[in-house]
Structures are given as structure tokens and as C-alpha cells.
Amino acid sequence: TSYENLLVEQHGAVTLVRLNRPQALNALNSAVLEELITAFAAFEADPTQRCAVLTGAGEKAFAAGADIKEMAQKPAADFYAEDTFSRWTSHFAKAVRKPWIAAVNGFALGGGCELAMMADFIIASDTARFGQPEIKLGIAPGMGGSQRLARAVGKAKAMEMCLTGRMMGAQEAEQSGLVARVVPLANLLDEALKTAAEIAAMSPLAAIANKEMVQAAFETTLDQGLLIERRIFQVLTATQDRLEGMAAFIEKRPAVWQGK
Ligand code: HXC
């Protein structure tokens, strides 16, 4: 498949997706969002692909938000009729069961920050800046920003960021729990691809299971989450990969995963 607004490459078992509208700081218009759904559906469906990395083309931005020029004149009735962003706030993040990492290489603002927060985790460049500046446009987040940011960094910082629109730098984002790791911009892509390759080398069933149970921590009560964890754990004990993984440990050799 070829895309107008994305660059998609396969690096072994890792799919690399780059948002590619650098002249607009990778702003997310509806064409980009549709292509992203297609690209991630292809990643999900391809059994050779085990982990994905999403980043922004150019040195300046991951994505500077939803496309303001596209939204500026759009009638309210259209936002409502299309249920704009609904597939983004929940369906997209859930439909992708395989793990994926956001490699945030610059501005991640508004919808860009929201998209990054849909990833399983974020690796950020030291130049990354996160924010929900929608309030400055007379609007508010619409793709999960208020909910995922509050869960990631807590009420105080989420409220402050949404109410003032201020940006958070990479160091503060790491200290606040928004990002897993900060690396120099020059190393970002290598580090993200290396981390993704590490995940891609695990049993694919175990990867999906680990992702699913951590996600459950944000969806449910502790008691139900612990039950989900035990049940998924128990399901995994029925796999070939579990027998192989434990045998390989005991025999002091690398495991060979079947995905079965
Ligand atoms: C459309 C955008 C854009 C955006 C940048 N551009 N952000 N176009 N939508 N979100 C375009 C600019 O118009 C400009 O193109 C080019 O990208 C470069 O941007 P500059 O502003 O010239 O760059 P700079 O001065 O370096 O400032 C960088 C910036 C600024 C601080 C990131 O661009 C900025 O504030 N952008 C908007 C950020 C924002 O408000 N995002 C939230 C959007 S609302 P031209 O051709 O004009 O020179 C949102 C809601 C989602 O995301 C939730 C659902 C409702």
C-alpha cells in the first residue's frame, strides 16, 4: 500500500510508521487519520510484524495537533453527525492488539499528544514538548487528552496543562510518568526501533497478553483487574511458547517462539 501522508517501512518484524506532513508539522487531518487506521490494520493483520513504532517526519514535530485549518469552518452538526474522533478515542487503540511505541520527536500537541498517549508507551527525544493547547483555540481536547493525560500525570498537572495550554518538556514528562524514557534526538529512532525489536523477539502471544492486562489496569477496579490478570496468565500456560520458554530457561538456551 502506498500512502500520501505516511511513510511506512518494515524493519524485520518491526513496522515503522512516520507521519509525513512536515510542512504542517504533521497536523492530523482526516486523510492522515484514515491512513493511520489503514496502516495499523495492515500491521495488525501481518503475522510477520510483531511491534510498531509511530513517529513524525522532520525534526520539529511528532504532530502539532488536529488540523486547525480543516476544522476551522466545519459545522458543528458535522462534528456531531460524524461523531468526529470517536474511532480515535477508543476503537483505534483497542483494535491494535499488538504492541506499539510512540517515538515523540518534537511537538506533540493537542491531537498529537492524544495520539502519542494511545501508544503502549512513549519514548521521547530531549526536544519533545507535550501539550493540550486546545483551550487557546476556544475548544478542549476531543481525542482522549483530558482522560489519558489525567491518568498519566495526575490531576494537578493535567488540569494545569489543559487550563493554561502550557507545554511540558521531555524531562518533566519523564518525571511525571507521561513518557517511559528520554533520549537525545539523534538516537531516538534507533532507540525506538531497538526497543521495538526487543519486544518483537518475545512470544507474540505473551506480548499481546502483557499489553492486554496492563491496559485493563486503566479500565476497571483493582479486583476485576487482578481477575483479568490471573485469567490471562492461566490462558498463557496453555501455550506451546510457555513450555518452550521454561524449557529454554532450564536448558540455558535461547527460546524459539512459535506463537502457539
Ligand atoms: C494546521 C498547523 C498546525 C495545526 C502547525 N501548523 N500546527 N496547521 N493545524 N495544528 C502549520 C502552521 O500553520 C504553519 O503552516 C506550519 O505548520 C508551521 O507552523 P508555525 O506555526 O509556523 O511554526 P512555529 O512558529 O515554530 O510554531 C510551532 C507551534 C505552532 C508552536 C507548534 O505551530 C502551534 O501552536 N500550532 C498549533 C498547535 C495547536 O494548537 N494544536 C492543537 C490543535 S487542536 P503555514 O502554511 O501556515 O505557514 C486539536 C484538537 C484535537 O488538536 C482534539 C479533537 C477536537
Side-chain angles (χ1 to χ4, degrees), residues 1 3 6-19 35-56 62 92 96 98-103 119-120 188-201:
T1 322
Y3 299 95
L6 304 178
L7 297 167
V8 181
E9 295 165 6
Q10 293 188 350
H11 295 243
V14 174
T15 300
L16 172 64
V17 180
R18 282 192 181 90
L19 302 165
E35 287 192 353
L36 264 177
I37 289 181
T38 306
F40 272 83
F43 157 67
E44 183 72 12
D46 183 343
T48 70
Q49 297 301 292
R50 300 277 176 84
C51 188
V53 171
L54 177 65
T55 192
F62 174 77
F92 169 76
V96 185
K98 295 176 184 176
W100 65 282
I101 302 167
D120 297 313
L188 176 68
L189 203 54
D190 279 356
E191 282 294 325
L193 288 172
K194 206 172 83 186
T195 306
E198 230 175 272
I199 295 167

Coordinates of all heavy atoms in Angstrom, one line a residue, residues 1 3 6-19 35-56 62 92 96 98-103 119-120 188-201:
T1 N 0.9 -1.2 0.0 CA 0.0 0.0 0.0 C 0.9 1.2 0.0 O 1.9 1.3 0.7 CB -0.9 0.0 1.3 OG1 -1.3 -1.3 1.6 CG2 -2.1 0.9 1.1
Y3 N 1.0 5.4 0.7 CA 0.2 6.4 1.4 C 0.6 7.8 1.0 O 1.8 8.1 0.6 CB 0.5 6.3 2.9 CG 0.1 4.9 3.5 CD1 1.0 3.9 3.6 CD2 -1.2 4.7 3.9 CE1 0.6 2.6 4.1 CE2 -1.6 3.5 4.4 CZ -0.7 2.4 4.5 OH -1.1 1.2 5.0
L6 N 1.8 9.3 5.0 CA 2.6 8.4 5.9 C 3.8 7.8 5.1 O 3.7 7.6 3.9 CB 1.8 7.2 6.4 CG 0.5 7.5 7.1 CD1 -0.2 6.2 7.5 CD2 0.7 8.3 8.3
L7 N 4.9 7.5 5.8 CA 5.9 6.7 5.3 C 5.9 5.4 6.1 O 6.0 5.5 7.3 CB 7.3 7.4 5.4 CG 7.5 8.7 4.6 CD1 8.7 9.4 5.1 CD2 7.5 8.4 3.2
V8 N 5.8 4.3 5.5 CA 5.7 3.0 6.2 C 6.8 2.1 5.7 O 6.9 1.9 4.5 CB 4.3 2.3 6.0 CG1 4.2 1.0 6.8 CG2 3.2 3.3 6.5
E9 N 7.6 1.6 6.6 CA 8.7 0.6 6.3 C 8.6 -0.5 7.3 O 8.2 -0.4 8.4 CB 10.0 1.3 6.5 CG 10.4 2.5 5.7 CD 11.6 3.2 6.2 OE1 12.2 2.8 7.2 OE2 11.9 4.3 5.6
Q10 N 9.1 -1.7 6.8 CA 9.3 -2.8 7.7 C 10.7 -3.0 8.0 O 11.5 -3.0 7.0 CB 8.7 -4.1 7.1 CG 7.1 -4.0 7.0 CD 6.5 -5.3 6.5 OE1 7.2 -6.2 6.1 NE2 5.2 -5.3 6.6
H11 N 11.1 -3.0 9.3 CA 12.4 -3.3 9.7 C 12.4 -4.7 10.4 O 12.1 -4.7 11.6 CB 13.0 -2.3 10.7 CG 13.1 -0.9 10.0 ND1 14.3 -0.3 9.9 CD2 12.2 -0.1 9.5 CE1 14.2 0.9 9.3 NE2 12.9 1.0 9.1
G12 N 12.6 -5.7 9.6 CA 12.4 -7.1 10.2 C 11.0 -7.2 10.7 O 10.0 -7.0 9.9
A13 N 10.8 -7.5 11.9 CA 9.4 -7.7 12.5 C 8.8 -6.5 13.0 O 7.8 -6.5 13.7 CB 9.5 -8.8 13.6
V14 N 9.5 -5.3 12.8 CA 9.0 -4.0 13.3 C 8.5 -3.2 12.2 O 9.2 -3.0 11.2 CB 10.1 -3.3 14.1 CG1 9.7 -1.9 14.5 CG2 10.6 -4.1 15.3
T15 N 7.3 -2.7 12.3 CA 6.7 -1.7 11.3 C 7.0 -0.3 11.8 O 6.7 0.0 13.0 CB 5.2 -1.9 11.2 OG1 4.9 -3.3 10.7 CG2 4.6 -0.9 10.2
L16 N 7.6 0.5 11.0 CA 7.9 1.9 11.3 C 6.9 2.7 10.5 O 6.9 2.7 9.3 CB 9.3 2.3 10.9 CG 9.7 3.7 11.1 CD1 9.6 4.2 12.5 CD2 11.1 4.0 10.5
V17 N 6.1 3.5 11.2 CA 5.2 4.5 10.5 C 5.6 5.9 10.9 O 5.7 6.2 12.1 CB 3.7 4.2 11.0 CG1 2.7 5.1 10.3 CG2 3.3 2.7 10.8
R18 N 5.8 6.7 9.8 CA 6.1 8.1 10.1 C 5.0 9.0 9.5 O 4.6 8.8 8.4 CB 7.4 8.5 9.3 CG 8.7 8.0 9.8 CD 9.7 8.8 9.0 NE 11.1 8.5 9.3 CZ 11.8 7.5 8.8 NH1 11.3 6.7 7.9 NH2 13.0 7.3 9.2
L19 N 4.5 9.9 10.4 CA 3.6 10.9 9.9 C 4.4 11.8 9.0 O 5.4 12.3 9.4 CB 3.0 11.7 11.1 CG 2.3 10.8 12.2 CD1 2.1 11.6 13.5 CD2 0.9 10.4 11.7
E35 N -5.5 7.1 6.9 CA -4.4 6.3 6.5 C -3.7 5.6 7.7 O -3.3 4.5 7.6 CB -3.3 7.2 5.8 CG -3.8 7.6 4.4 CD -2.7 8.3 3.6 OE1 -1.6 8.5 4.1 OE2 -3.0 8.6 2.4
L36 N -3.7 6.3 8.9 CA -3.2 5.6 10.1 C -4.0 4.4 10.5 O -3.4 3.4 10.8 CB -3.2 6.6 11.2 CG -1.9 7.4 11.5 CD1 -2.1 8.4 12.6 CD2 -0.7 6.4 11.8
I37 N -5.3 4.5 10.4 CA -6.1 3.3 10.7 C -5.8 2.2 9.7 O -5.6 1.1 10.1 CB -7.6 3.7 10.6 CG1 -8.0 4.6 11.8 CG2 -8.5 2.4 10.6 CD1 -9.5 5.0 11.9
T38 N -5.6 2.5 8.4 CA -5.3 1.5 7.4 C -3.9 0.9 7.7 O -3.8 -0.3 7.7 CB -5.3 2.2 6.0 OG1 -6.6 2.8 5.8 CG2 -5.1 1.1 4.9
A39 N -2.9 1.8 8.0 CA -1.6 1.3 8.2 C -1.5 0.4 9.4 O -0.8 -0.7 9.4 CB -0.6 2.4 8.3
F40 N -2.2 0.8 10.5 CA -2.2 -0.1 11.7 C -3.0 -1.3 11.5 O -2.7 -2.4 12.1 CB -2.6 0.7 12.9 CG -1.4 1.5 13.6 CD1 -1.0 2.7 13.1 CD2 -0.7 0.9 14.6 CE1 0.1 3.3 13.7 CE2 0.4 1.5 15.2 CZ 0.8 2.7 14.7
A41 N -4.1 -1.3 10.7 CA -4.8 -2.5 10.4 C -3.9 -3.5 9.7 O -4.0 -4.7 9.9 CB -6.1 -2.2 9.7
A42 N -3.1 -3.0 8.7 CA -2.2 -3.8 8.0 C -1.2 -4.4 8.9 O -0.8 -5.6 8.8 CB -1.6 -3.0 6.8
F43 N -0.6 -3.6 9.8 CA 0.3 -4.1 10.8 C -0.3 -5.2 11.6 O 0.3 -6.3 11.8 CB 0.8 -2.9 11.6 CG 1.4 -3.3 13.0 CD1 2.5 -4.0 13.1 CD2 0.7 -2.9 14.2 CE1 3.1 -4.4 14.3 CE2 1.2 -3.3 15.4 CZ 2.4 -4.0 15.5
E44 N -1.5 -5.0 12.1 CA -2.2 -5.9 13.0 C -2.4 -7.3 12.2 O -2.3 -8.3 12.8 CB -3.5 -5.3 13.4 CG -4.3 -6.1 14.4 CD -3.7 -6.2 15.8 OE1 -2.8 -5.4 16.1 OE2 -4.2 -7.1 16.5
A45 N -2.7 -7.2 10.9 CA -3.1 -8.4 10.2 C -1.9 -9.2 9.7 O -2.0 -10.3 9.2 CB -3.9 -8.0 9.0
D46 N -0.7 -8.6 9.7 CA 0.5 -9.2 9.1 C 1.2 -10.0 10.2 O 1.9 -9.5 11.1 CB 1.4 -8.1 8.5 CG 2.6 -8.7 7.8 OD1 2.9 -9.9 8.0 OD2 3.3 -8.0 7.1
P47 N 1.2 -11.4 10.1 CA 1.8 -12.2 11.1 C 3.3 -12.0 11.2 O 3.9 -12.4 12.2 CB 1.4 -13.6 10.7 CG 1.0 -13.6 9.3 CD 0.6 -12.2 9.0
T48 N 4.0 -11.5 10.2 CA 5.4 -11.3 10.3 C 5.8 -10.1 11.1 O 6.9 -9.9 11.5 CB 6.1 -11.1 8.9 OG1 5.7 -9.8 8.4 CG2 5.7 -12.2 8.0
Q49 N 4.8 -9.2 11.4 CA 5.0 -8.0 12.1 C 4.6 -8.1 13.6 O 3.5 -8.4 13.9 CB 4.3 -6.8 11.4 CG 4.8 -6.6 10.0 CD 6.3 -6.3 10.0 OE1 6.8 -5.2 10.4 NE2 7.1 -7.2 9.5
R50 N 5.5 -7.7 14.5 CA 5.3 -8.0 15.9 C 5.2 -6.8 16.8 O 4.7 -6.8 17.9 CB 6.4 -8.9 16.5 CG 6.5 -10.2 15.8 CD 5.5 -11.2 16.3 NE 5.6 -12.5 15.6 CZ 6.4 -13.5 15.9 NH1 7.4 -13.3 16.8 NH2 6.4 -14.6 15.2
C51 N 5.7 -5.6 16.3 CA 5.7 -4.4 17.1 C 5.8 -3.3 16.1 O 6.4 -3.4 15.1 CB 6.9 -4.4 18.1 SG 6.8 -3.0 19.3
A52 N 5.2 -2.1 16.5 CA 5.3 -1.0 15.6 C 5.8 0.3 16.3 O 5.7 0.3 17.5 CB 3.9 -0.6 15.0
V53 N 6.4 1.2 15.5 CA 6.9 2.4 16.1 C 6.2 3.5 15.2 O 6.2 3.5 14.0 CB 8.4 2.6 15.9 CG1 8.8 4.0 16.3 CG2 9.1 1.6 16.8
L54 N 5.6 4.5 15.9 CA 5.0 5.7 15.2 C 5.8 6.9 15.6 O 6.0 7.2 16.8 CB 3.5 5.8 15.7 CG 2.8 7.1 15.1 CD1 2.6 6.9 13.6 CD2 1.4 7.2 15.7
T55 N 6.2 7.6 14.6 CA 7.0 8.9 14.8 C 6.6 9.9 13.8 O 5.8 9.6 12.9 CB 8.5 8.6 14.8 OG1 9.2 9.7 15.3 CG2 9.0 8.2 13.4
G56 N 7.2 11.1 13.9 CA 6.9 12.2 12.9 C 8.1 12.4 12.0 O 9.2 12.3 12.5
F62 N 6.3 15.7 16.2 CA 5.6 14.4 16.1 C 4.3 14.7 15.4 O 4.0 14.2 14.3 CB 5.4 13.8 17.5 CG 4.6 12.6 17.6 CD1 5.1 11.4 17.2 CD2 3.2 12.6 18.0 CE1 4.4 10.2 17.3 CE2 2.5 11.4 18.1 CZ 3.1 10.2 17.7
F92 N -9.5 2.7 17.8 CA -8.2 2.5 17.3 C -7.2 1.9 18.3 O -6.5 0.9 18.0 CB -7.6 3.9 16.8 CG -6.2 3.8 16.4 CD1 -5.8 3.3 15.2 CD2 -5.3 4.4 17.2 CE1 -4.4 3.2 14.9 CE2 -3.9 4.4 16.9 CZ -3.5 3.8 15.7
V96 N -5.8 -2.3 17.9 CA -4.5 -2.7 17.7 C -4.1 -3.5 19.0 O -3.8 -3.0 20.0 CB -3.5 -1.5 17.5 CG1 -2.1 -2.0 17.2 CG2 -4.1 -0.6 16.4
K98 N -1.5 -5.8 19.0 CA 0.0 -5.9 19.1 C 0.6 -4.6 19.7 O 0.0 -3.5 19.5 CB 0.6 -6.1 17.7 CG 0.1 -7.4 17.0 CD 0.7 -7.4 15.6 CE 0.2 -8.7 14.9 NZ 0.7 -8.7 13.5
P99 N 1.7 -4.7 20.3 CA 2.3 -3.5 21.0 C 2.8 -2.5 20.0 O 3.3 -2.9 18.9 CB 3.4 -4.1 21.8 CG 3.6 -5.5 21.4 CD 2.4 -6.0 20.6
W100 N 2.7 -1.3 20.3 CA 3.3 -0.2 19.5 C 3.8 0.9 20.4 O 3.2 1.2 21.5 CB 2.4 0.3 18.4 CG 1.1 0.9 18.8 CD1 0.0 0.3 19.2 CD2 0.8 2.3 18.7 NE1 -1.0 1.3 19.4 CE2 -0.5 2.5 19.1 CE3 1.6 3.5 18.3 CZ2 -1.1 3.8 19.2 CZ3 1.0 4.7 18.4 CH2 -0.4 4.9 18.8
I101 N 4.8 1.6 19.9 CA 5.5 2.6 20.7 C 5.4 4.0 19.9 O 5.6 4.0 18.7 CB 7.0 2.3 20.8 CG1 7.2 0.9 21.5 CG2 7.8 3.4 21.5 CD1 8.7 0.4 21.3
A102 N 5.1 5.0 20.6 CA 5.2 6.4 20.0 C 6.6 6.9 20.3 O 7.1 6.9 21.4 CB 4.2 7.3 20.6
A103 N 7.3 7.3 19.2 CA 8.7 7.9 19.4 C 8.4 9.4 19.1 O 8.3 9.8 17.9 CB 9.6 7.3 18.4
A119 N -0.5 5.2 22.4 CA 0.6 4.2 22.3 C 0.7 3.4 23.6 O 0.3 3.9 24.6 CB 1.9 4.8 21.9
D120 N 1.3 2.2 23.5 CA 1.5 1.5 24.7 C 2.5 2.2 25.6 O 2.4 2.1 26.8 CB 1.9 0.0 24.4 CG 0.8 -0.6 23.6 OD1 -0.3 -0.5 24.1 OD2 1.0 -1.2 22.6
L188 N 16.9 8.9 18.8 CA 15.5 8.5 19.1 C 15.1 7.3 18.2 O 14.5 6.3 18.7 CB 14.6 9.7 18.9 CG 13.1 9.4 19.1 CD1 12.8 9.0 20.5 CD2 12.2 10.5 18.6
L189 N 15.2 7.4 16.9 CA 14.7 6.4 16.0 C 15.4 5.1 16.3 O 14.7 4.0 16.4 CB 14.8 6.8 14.6 CG 13.8 6.1 13.6 CD1 12.4 6.3 14.1 CD2 14.0 6.7 12.2
D190 N 16.7 5.1 16.4 CA 17.5 3.9 16.7 C 17.0 3.2 18.0 O 16.8 2.0 18.1 CB 19.0 4.2 16.9 CG 19.6 4.3 15.5 OD1 18.9 4.0 14.5 OD2 20.8 4.6 15.5
E191 N 16.8 4.0 19.0 CA 16.4 3.5 20.4 C 15.0 2.9 20.3 O 14.8 1.9 20.9 CB 16.5 4.6 21.4 CG 17.9 5.0 21.9 CD 18.5 3.8 22.7 OE1 17.7 3.1 23.4 OE2 19.7 3.6 22.6
A192 N 14.1 3.6 19.6 CA 12.7 3.2 19.5 C 12.7 1.9 18.7 O 12.0 0.9 19.1 CB 11.8 4.2 18.9
L193 N 13.5 1.8 17.6 CA 13.5 0.6 16.8 C 14.1 -0.6 17.5 O 13.7 -1.7 17.5 CB 14.2 0.8 15.5 CG 13.4 1.7 14.4 CD1 14.3 2.0 13.2 CD2 12.2 1.0 14.0
K194 N 15.2 -0.3 18.3 CA 15.8 -1.3 19.1 C 14.9 -1.9 20.2 O 14.8 -3.1 20.4 CB 17.1 -0.7 19.8 CG 18.2 -1.7 20.1 CD 19.4 -1.1 20.6 CE 19.3 -0.8 22.0 NZ 20.5 0.0 22.6
T195 N 14.2 -1.0 20.8 CA 13.2 -1.4 21.9 C 12.1 -2.2 21.2 O 11.7 -3.3 21.8 CB 12.6 -0.2 22.6 OG1 13.7 0.6 23.1 CG2 11.7 -0.6 23.8
A196 N 11.6 -1.8 20.1 CA 10.5 -2.5 19.4 C 11.0 -3.9 18.9 O 10.3 -4.9 19.0 CB 10.1 -1.7 18.2
A197 N 12.3 -3.9 18.5 CA 12.8 -5.2 18.1 C 12.9 -6.2 19.2 O 12.7 -7.4 19.1 CB 14.2 -5.1 17.4
E198 N 13.3 -5.6 20.4 CA 13.3 -6.5 21.6 C 11.9 -7.1 21.9 O 11.8 -8.3 22.2 CB 13.7 -5.6 22.8 CG 14.8 -6.0 23.7 CD 15.1 -5.0 24.7 OE1 16.0 -4.1 24.4 OE2 14.5 -5.0 25.8
I199 N 10.9 -6.2 21.8 CA 9.5 -6.7 22.1 C 9.1 -7.7 21.0 O 8.5 -8.7 21.3 CB 8.6 -5.5 22.1 CG1 8.9 -4.6 23.3 CG2 7.1 -6.0 22.2 CD1 8.2 -3.2 23.3
A200 N 9.5 -7.4 19.7 CA 9.2 -8.3 18.6 C 9.8 -9.6 18.7 O 9.3 -10.6 18.1 CB 9.6 -7.6 17.3
A201 N 10.9 -9.8 19.5 CA 11.5 -11.0 19.7 C 10.9 -11.9 20.8 O 11.3 -13.0 21.0 CB 13.0 -10.8 19.9

